[in-house]
Amino acid sequence: MVLEFEKPIADLEQKLQEMKDLAKGRNIDLSSDIESLEEKILALKKETFENLTRWQRVQLSRHADRPYALDYIYEITNDFIEIFGDRNVADDKAMVGGLGDVDGRTVMFIGQQKGRNTKQRQMRNFGMANPEGYRKALRLMKMAEKFGKPIVTLIDTPGAFPGLEAEERGQGEAIARNLKEMFMLKVPVICIVIGEGASGGALGIAIGDRVLMLENSWYSVISPENCSTILWRSWDYKEQAAESLKLTAKDMKGNGLVDDIIPEPLGGAHKDIKWMANQVKQAILSSLKELDKIKPEKRIEQRIDKFCSMGVVVE
């Protein structure tokens, strides 16, 4: 999959491959030309990805090859044990979670999971959780608290499922309860936006001591398309909406809404999944090292103060 702004890079990479094939097939020395073209491609990549618009970063966050929650979990942990069901209605496949070993320490991972193909996307409901998904997440958080295990949430959703049946089963109540309960958890909580972070669907698992974002992820009260639809009655203004929403990692950190940004490889997280997963792992370990030094009561107090101070206007 090649995004629109990546096409000039893809064209040069195709020419580079053709040049390599020609040199190999005809036994011609084109090493200097190949090296020159490689340098040109690298320079173009740096220029392109350092100057992405907000809408382009939204597109990158949705790249079909981008790693999802389970990709990170399996790369980061040893002996991951997935836990299913909310013990009330059903097991929501859009919300995954379980216990995994990270460098000898057991961590409770919870995340929204999308699918790679049509069948998986339908099974995962495109990463849009139902109320039972949020209740399952809360069950796992309470389990982690009971056994004194830190919690890591991986956020990647276009929003909570907006269907009638979700509302009938208490979508709003389930998310609201998660917000309330997450404030009071006695164990360290680290939240990481790995892709899309839209609306209350993202916030339902995003109340933590440390909130981090990947470089090409986004976090907002609404998606650019839905914002465009509400304000202009059309999706045609989604790029303008993205600029107005200021939803990138850099914007969020600048506004004090997240604590730090995890860098991605040049071209996006999908270009080197192992490297990206290691960056996420190191961010988790670093955050846990800091949080372990703080007493639970103090952590809770700081967590509440952190979110209560957001959006306050002093005149």
Side-chain angles (χ1 to χ4, degrees):
M1 177 182 174
V2 178
L3 299 172
E4 187 67 32
F5 62 86
E6 293 179 305
K7 285 183 178 178
I9 299 170
D11 290 341
L12 286 180
E13 288 178 332
Q14 184 178 349
K15 289 179 182 177
L16 176 63
Q17 188 58 50
E18 290 171 357
M19 192 179 292
K20 288 180 177 179
D21 293 340
L22 179 64
K24 185 178 179 181
R26 298 191 181 182
N27 199 23
I28 304 171
D29 183 13
L30 297 174
S31 55
S32 61
D33 295 315
I34 289 172
E35 185 179 346
S36 176
L37 188 53
E38 285 175 338
E39 289 175 358
K40 186 176 180 180
I41 290 171
L42 181 60
L44 182 58
K45 278 184 177 180
K46 286 181 178 178
E47 182 184 356
T48 300
F49 288 99
E50 285 174 4
N51 297 286
L52 292 177
T53 66
R54 291 182 174 90
W55 172 244
Q56 287 170 339
R57 291 198 188 276
V58 171
Q59 290 179 294
L60 201 53
S61 75
R62 297 169 175 170
H63 198 286
D65 299 326
R66 193 172 176 87
Y68 296 145
L70 285 176
D71 297 317
Y72 286 108
I73 291 170
Y74 285 123
E75 283 289 341
I76 292 170
T77 67
N78 298 312
D79 303 322
F80 175 67
I81 301 172
E82 188 170 353
I83 303 171
F84 302 91
D86 70 340
R87 291 187 174 177
N88 186 23
V89 176
D91 178 53
D92 189 341
K93 301 296 183 183
M95 189 76 75
V96 298
L99 295 164
D101 177 271
V102 183
D103 284 4
R105 182 171 186 177
T106 302
V107 175
M108 178 66 80
F109 284 89
I110 299 166
Q112 286 131 343
Q113 177 69 19
K114 297 177 179 177
R116 293 283 173 205
N117 53 43
T118 302
K119 186 176 180 180
Q120 287 180 3
R121 286 173 188 141
Q122 289 177 331
M123 180 185 76
R124 301 289 183 185
N125 202 29
F126 300 87
M128 297 185 293
N130 278 280
E132 47 269 28
Y134 292 98
R135 289 172 181 139
K136 168 175 152 182
L138 182 57
R139 178 169 87 86
L140 299 190
M141 291 176 201
K142 287 295 186 181
M143 183 186 295
E145 183 180 45
K146 179 179 179 180
F147 295 105
K149 306 302 179 185
I151 298 165
V152 173
T153 67
L154 302 174
I155 299 147
D156 188 12
T157 181
F161 184 59
L164 177 62
E165 61 272 32
E167 297 298 334
E168 288 175 340
R169 294 197 298 274
Q171 183 74 285
E173 186 276 340
I175 293 173
R177 181 173 293 276
N178 277 24
L179 303 186
K180 175 181 177 292
E181 296 290 348
M182 287 187 79
F183 274 117
M184 306 308 295
L185 290 169
K186 295 177 182 178
V187 293
V189 184
I190 301 165
C191 308
I192 307 173
V193 183
I194 60 172
E196 299 187 87
S199 192
L203 198 60
I205 58 168
I207 304 296
D209 303 295
R210 296 288 182 274
V211 181
L212 312 174
M213 287 182 71
L214 267 60
E215 184 180 354
N216 293 310
S217 62
W218 63 274
Y219 196 18
S220 176
V221 69
I222 193 171
S223 71
E225 294 94 334
N226 288 334
C227 178
S228 175
T229 301
I230 291 170
L231 295 181
W232 291 282
R233 309 296 184 193
S234 168
W235 279 28
D236 296 341
Y237 298 92
K238 53 186 177 291
E239 294 181 40
Q240 185 176 335
E243 290 298 318
S244 299
L245 287 169
K246 294 180 171 54
L247 38 61
T248 66
K250 189 176 179 181
D251 293 323
M252 292 292 106
K253 189 167 189 293
N255 288 326
L257 301 176
V258 301
D259 298 295
D260 212 348
I261 299 170
I262 303 175
E264 296 187 20
L266 190 61
H270 58 285
K271 293 296 183 181
D272 193 337
I273 294 176
K274 287 188 178 296
W275 184 90
M276 188 70 251
N278 186 58
Q279 291 294 110
V280 172
K281 178 181 176 180
Q282 295 309 315
I284 291 169
L285 293 174
S286 176
S287 296
L288 286 178
K289 189 176 180 181
E290 294 175 7
L291 295 171
D292 285 340
K293 298 174 183 176
I294 307 171
K295 291 183 178 180
E297 296 77 14
K298 187 65 176 176
R299 269 202 311 266
I300 291 171
E301 183 183 333
Q302 289 179 354
R303 197 183 301 154
I304 293 171
D305 289 343
K306 172 193 182 72
F307 283 87
C308 286
S309 66
M310 293 179 183
V312 174
V313 178
V314 179
E315 294 183 354

